[in-house]
Amino acid sequence: AWWMNSIRDQVVVNLLPQSLKSDPFVVALAEAVEKELKEAYREAERLANFMDVDNLPESVLDHLLWYFHITYDEGAGLANTIEEKRRLVKNAIKIHRIKGTKKALEMVLEMLDMRGRITEWFEYGGEPYHFRVELLEITNKGLSDDSLALLDRLIEAYKNKRSWLEAINIFLTGKGKIY
């Protein structure tokens, strides 16, 4: 039966009754509708499996970040590459399950290519419920006032709400060869 075939295999003009096939306006309309339907079908096929995050376009990843509540302040603003966005989308549910823990903050920093260490007050003899963030490496990010403000908001979003950020220590590193 014709309705069992895929839409991409159909020619809409062939589905018209003979009386309408002789009208050039209706034929042109059918061809235009067919073109749009096939394009929409191709797009739907491409997006049908959201679990295949590695093959989704960046615009769809941006929508998925919004859908999973990874806001601009919660990492999307610091995601400079499509790979960082993919990691955030893939781990969004896990991140939200452990939000408010040291591990959640460490995971988000790692996904954003920022190698960091969180040290709690009892590990360095500080004031109770305070912590420090040490960024040991910021790969290809650079530091601007905007990125530092985003980093501060990211920490606020993922930290334990009863804890207080004491300091962010950023270690600038360089790579080179020694001769």
Side-chain angles (χ1 to χ4, degrees):
W2 66 268
W3 62 86
M4 300 287 276
N5 294 333
S6 170
I7 195 167
R8 72 174 162 232
D9 300 328
Q10 295 298 321
V11 177
V12 175
V13 173
N14 294 344
L15 301 175
L16 294 174
Q18 195 60 39
S19 60
L20 293 178
K21 286 182 182 178
S22 61
D23 184 340
F25 176 76
V26 172
V27 170
L29 185 63
E31 289 170 349
V33 167
E34 177 182 334
K35 180 182 175 195
E36 291 300 315
L37 279 174
K38 287 184 178 183
E39 180 60 35
Y41 186 81
R42 277 192 297 278
E43 187 70 17
E45 278 185 322
R46 197 164 61 102
L47 300 177
N49 188 359
F50 280 121
M51 292 306 186
D52 189 14
V53 174
D54 291 326
N55 291 313
L56 293 175
E58 189 168 9
S59 59
V60 174
L61 291 173
D62 291 336
H63 287 292
L64 287 174
L65 285 168
W66 172 83
Y67 176 79
F68 286 121
H69 304 285
I70 304 290
T71 64
Y72 194 78
D73 290 346
E74 292 177 320
L78 287 169
N80 292 340
T81 67
I82 194 167
E83 293 309 315
E84 291 171 355
K85 289 180 180 184
R86 290 185 201 286
R87 285 193 293 267
L88 287 171
V89 168
K90 286 178 183 178
N91 293 287
I93 294 170
K94 184 177 182 180
I95 293 169
H96 280 292
R97 282 188 182 145
I98 63 171
K99 196 171 184 176
T101 66
K102 177 180 172 180
K103 181 67 177 166
L105 186 52
E106 288 172 338
M107 279 180 61
V108 171
L109 290 174
E110 184 180 323
M111 284 180 242
L112 293 170
D113 286 332
M114 292 189 230
R115 197 167 56 91
R117 180 174 47 218
I118 288 84
T119 312
E120 297 187 67
W121 63 275
F122 53 84
E123 296 173 309
Y124 62 86
E127 291 288 318
Y129 305 108
H130 285 69
F131 67 100
R132 295 177 181 164
V133 175
E134 294 178 340
L135 293 179
L136 307 173
E137 185 178 334
I138 301 176
T139 308
N140 301 322
K141 289 228 177 273
L143 294 172
S144 67
D145 289 341
D146 291 339
S147 63
L148 288 173
L150 276 173
L151 180 62
D152 194 42
R153 293 197 307 259
L154 176 115
I155 292 168
E156 182 63 32
Y158 286 101
K159 74 174 184 67
N160 185 321
K161 295 305 175 197
R162 76 174 192 284
S163 298
W164 298 93
L165 176 63
E166 183 176 303
I168 300 174
N169 297 316
I170 301 171
F171 296 88
L172 299 176
T173 58
K175 294 183 181 183
K177 293 181 181 180
I178 297 175
Y179 294 100

